[in-house]
């Protein structure tokens, strides 16, 4: 297989990405959160290609990206709580799980057989340009092998997926660094399905107290709910006493081989999280280290999303 095309963040690059997507190909695209592996959400074969390239289980639904609220309204119903959230936070790092409308036109593979669809309006200018040039909704989970460390740079995408995809649009590192927050709004209350780049403290003035439902039982409702996810090859531990030979990822006053944020800034830590995990995993392999250990992070604001990713990365592997 040929290596993927590297496309520039220019009008020509956006047009080339859109052309590949319209032809059913896979393109890694930047968003403000992480790089997404995009495909035409209306094409069965294109969406099947996402699952194959990532090795993603078929029961794990995908997020569909659209350019604006008007486009989202053609695919799903918007109860009043959902509309308020969309008007407040779109474009941005928020995904809403909503009931599908009849005649939506999406591939059934996108929703993994559910009567709902996860929708997002991304804020990244390059992703917006490609969405508008492609003229169709794009399914785009994170651009990395399923269950492994998320990609926040083109280099991460190439290392993880390489020739399994057609192209990568290179717009540099992502600004937020963790995936979108996922909510399921309803008149009876808003459920939080995944902590992410939009904190609870920002959301709850609109919704009231969120109902946390981030690890469901038998059936997944949204991406990022699998118990083991975001995992490096080396075992990963959170907090506790460092052991000899471990690769240490520090935070704030806790120093290490790497640091999420020397200032203890949660936004900086979010931007650095997955890059630090990629680097720590490479160091662990080079040094034959027994494990990676991450300093404790406060369970507040973006810290909840960071701790969610790290707990899943540390969970027992399937």
């Amino acid at each position: 297989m040929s290596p993927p095309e590297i496309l520039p963040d220019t009008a020509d690059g956006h047009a080339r990405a859109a052309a590949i997507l319209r032809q059913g190909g896979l393109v890694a695209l930047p968003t403000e959160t992480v790089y997404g592996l995009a495909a035409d959400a209306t094409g069965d074969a294109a969406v099947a290609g996402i699952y194959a390239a990532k090795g993603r289980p078929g029961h794990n639904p995908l997020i569909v990206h659209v350019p604006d609220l008007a486009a989202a309204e053609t695919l799903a119903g918007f109860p009043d709580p959902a509309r308020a959230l969309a008007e407040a936070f779109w474009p941005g790092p928020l995904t809403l799980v909503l009931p599908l409308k009849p005649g939506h036109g999406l591939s059934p593979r996108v929703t993994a057989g559910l009567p709902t669809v996860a929708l997002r309006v991304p804020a990244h200018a390059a992703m917006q340009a490609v969405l508008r040039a492609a003229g169709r909704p794009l399914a785009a989970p994170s651009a990395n092998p399923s269950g492994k460390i998320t990609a926040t740079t083109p280099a991460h995408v190439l290392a993880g997926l390489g020739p399994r995809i057609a192209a990568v649009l290179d717009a540099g590192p992502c600004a937020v660094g963790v995936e979108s927050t996922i909510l399921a709004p309803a008149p009876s209350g808003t459920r939080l399905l995944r902590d992410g780049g939009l904190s609870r403290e920002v959301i709850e003035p609109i919704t009231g107290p969120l109902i946390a439902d981030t690890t469901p039982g038998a059936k997944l409702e949204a991406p990022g709910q699998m118990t083991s996810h975001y995992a490096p090859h080396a075992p990963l531990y959170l907090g506790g006493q460092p052991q000899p030979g471990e690769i240490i990822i520090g935070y704030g006053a806790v120093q290490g081989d790497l640091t999420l944020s020397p200032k203890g800034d949660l936004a900086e830590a979010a931007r650095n999280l997955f890059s630090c995990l990629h680097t720590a995993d490479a160091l662990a392999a080079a040094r034959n280290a027994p494990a990676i250990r991450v300093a404790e992070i406060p369970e507040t604001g973006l810290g909840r999303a960071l701790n969610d990713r790290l707990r899943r990365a540390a969970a027992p592997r399937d």
Side-chain angles (χ1 to χ4, degrees), residues 35-75:
Y35 272 76
L37 181 56
D40 177 0
T42 68
D44 283 347
V47 175
I50 290 177
Y51 284 96
K54 285 177 60 70
R56 185 183 180 94
H59 66 281
N60 194 358
L62 305 176
I63 294 174
V64 174
H65 295 69
V66 292
D68 50 38
L69 176 56
E73 289 177 314
T74 67
L75 303 175

Side-chain angles (χ1 to χ4, degrees), residues 207-233:
T207 61
L210 294 170
I211 304 162
D213 194 10
T214 56
T215 303
K219 197 162 185 70
L220 299 178
E221 290 185 76
Q225 293 189 309
M226 297 179 71
T227 302
S228 178
H229 206 8
Y230 317 105
H233 293 92

Side-chain angles (χ1 to χ4, degrees), residues 7-317:
L7 305 176
D9 185 14
T10 63
D12 286 347
H14 304 158
R16 175 60 180 152
I20 294 170
L21 291 161
R22 287 195 301 270
Q23 294 162 5
L26 304 181
V27 181
L29 297 174
T31 78
E32 71 275 25
T33 56
V34 302
Y35 272 76
L37 181 56
D40 177 0
T42 68
D44 283 347
V47 175
I50 290 177
Y51 284 96
K54 285 177 60 70
R56 185 183 180 94
H59 66 281
N60 194 358
L62 305 176
I63 294 174
V64 174
H65 295 69
V66 292
D68 50 38
L69 176 56
E73 289 177 314
T74 67
L75 303 175
F78 275 75
D80 288 342
R83 186 170 301 282
L85 287 162
E87 290 173 349
F89 300 118
W90 277 356
L94 174 67
T95 295
L96 298 177
V97 175
L98 300 166
L100 281 163
K101 275 187 172 178
H104 53 77
L106 297 173
S107 166
R109 296 176 187 270
V110 166
T111 61
L114 297 170
T116 55
V117 62
L119 293 173
R120 183 159 100 85
V121 176
H124 197 288
M127 182 64 157
Q128 277 283 335
V130 174
L131 279 165
R132 294 181 187 279
R136 60 200 65 189
L138 298 178
S142 57
N144 52 272
S146 183
K148 299 302 181 183
I149 306 171
T150 299
T152 56
T153 70
H156 297 161
V157 176
L158 293 169
L161 297 176
R164 283 175 277 177
I165 64 177
V168 180
L169 181 64
D170 184 352
C174 300
V176 176
V178 292
E179 296 88 344
S180 61
T181 301
I182 303 181
L183 301 178
S188 58
T190 299
R191 289 183 300 132
L192 174 71
L193 303 184
R194 180 176 74 185
D195 278 299
L198 197 66
S199 72
R200 299 185 196 187
E201 288 85 347
V202 174
I203 296 165
E204 288 184 331
I206 292 175
T207 61
L210 294 170
I211 304 162
D213 194 10
T214 56
T215 303
K219 197 162 185 70
L220 299 178
E221 290 185 76
Q225 293 189 309
M226 297 179 71
T227 302
S228 178
H229 206 8
Y230 317 105
H233 293 92
L236 187 139
Y237 300 103
L238 309 182
Q241 185 64 34
Q243 301 301 307
E246 290 181 336
I247 304 299
I248 307 301
I249 299 177
Y251 175 79
V254 178
Q255 298 182 356
D257 301 274
L258 307 162
T259 182
L260 293 170
S261 171
K263 301 176 292 186
D265 179 86
L266 289 171
E268 181 180 36
R271 287 194 298 273
N272 291 335
L273 174 64
F274 291 123
S275 286
C276 276
L277 288 178
H278 280 283
T279 302
D281 207 23
L283 281 174
R287 299 179 186 177
N288 197 26
I292 299 166
R293 190 174 297 271
V294 184
E296 290 186 11
I297 297 169
E299 187 74 10
T300 184
L302 282 174
R304 293 192 186 92
L306 290 162
N307 283 319
D308 171 82
R309 304 307 186 271
L310 290 168
R311 282 191 290 267
R312 295 177 196 270
R317 315 291 167 82

